[in-house]
Amino acid sequence: MTENLTALCPCQSGQPYQSCCQPYHQQQHFPANAMLLMRSRYAAYALKKIDYIVQTTVPSQQTLLQVDELQAWADNTTWVGLTILQHLTRSKTHSQVEFKAFFAQQDRTQVHHEISLFVNIAQRWYFVDPTVALPNMKQPCLCGSNKKFKHCCGGLL
Ligand SMILES: [Zn+2]
Ligand SMILES: [Zn+2]
């Protein structure tokens, strides 16, 4: 896929893609906070870069993702807008971002409203996917914090 480097970033920042989410997508550097990660993941969906969706999911969940399904879904979806409603800092290592993402499938516009959980592991933010198999509440957390799931990410999902 060729990319127009002067085009505005799909994350709706108003910035050119090459100085907004492209450096994240190319792994030149990592988003400094959960909101930037959320925006870059939206932009990755818009550009159908499913590799980036996988790489920015908590490492312990990456092998649980159905990459073919994600790719097929992205290929059939046109993203038309993103509104960030709030960015909630829960702790040094946990943040939530509430957003509405607008998309079209078969010419029908729909809205996806979500409060996403993000966790910081070794100075890097990751998305916690609530749709894959999760630990039970007494098991160690999926983020590797050595806390029980219910006292860590599980308490925020
Ligand atoms: Zn962007
Ligand atoms: Zn955790």
Side-chain angles (χ1 to χ4, degrees):
M1 190 166 113
T2 55
E3 285 160 359
N4 179 351
L5 294 180
T6 58
L8 292 180
C9 190
C11 83
Q12 312 229 320
S13 60
Q15 303 295 314
Y17 175 58
Q18 64 176 340
S19 58
C20 188
C21 291
Q22 189 181 48
Y24 303 139
H25 292 168
Q26 294 183 341
Q27 307 250 341
Q28 289 166 6
H29 54 95
F30 301 118
N33 62 51
M35 192 180 70
L36 289 172
L37 176 58
M38 193 272 130
R39 299 187 81 97
S40 71
R41 283 173 55 92
Y42 172 88
Y45 271 116
L47 296 170
K48 312 187 194 312
K49 292 180 181 294
I50 297 304
D51 284 357
Y52 185 77
I53 299 301
V54 174
Q55 288 155 7
T56 55
T57 300
V58 170
S60 69
Q61 292 189 314
Q62 290 179 5
T63 57
L64 301 173
L65 298 174
Q66 302 293 324
V67 176
D68 291 351
E69 283 176 27
L70 287 171
Q71 189 70 57
W73 196 80
D75 288 344
N76 289 314
T77 304
T78 303
W79 293 90
V80 293
L82 173 68
T83 303
I84 306 272
L85 299 171
Q86 50 180 342
H87 178 197
L88 300 164
T89 300
R90 296 298 187 184
S91 71
K92 275 186 191 165
T93 51
H94 292 81
S95 286
Q96 288 168 311
V97 179
E98 182 177 8
F99 65 93
K100 285 184 178 176
F102 301 86
F103 62 97
Q105 284 177 326
Q106 281 121 34
D107 294 331
R108 212 174 127 246
T109 301
Q110 300 178 58
V111 59
H112 176 72
H113 182 190
E114 180 175 313
I115 301 176
S116 291
L117 175 64
F118 297 87
V119 62
N120 191 295
I121 303 171
Q123 314 299 320
R124 195 176 152 185
W125 287 97
Y126 294 92
F127 172 67
V128 179
D129 191 331
T131 68
V132 300
L134 297 169
N136 77 43
M137 285 292 175
K138 292 182 179 173
Q139 286 178 318
C141 193
L142 47 75
C143 75
S145 63
N146 292 323
K147 293 178 187 165
K148 286 180 183 168
F149 183 55
K150 67 177 173 183
H151 293 311
C152 191
C153 299
L156 294 167
L157 280 175

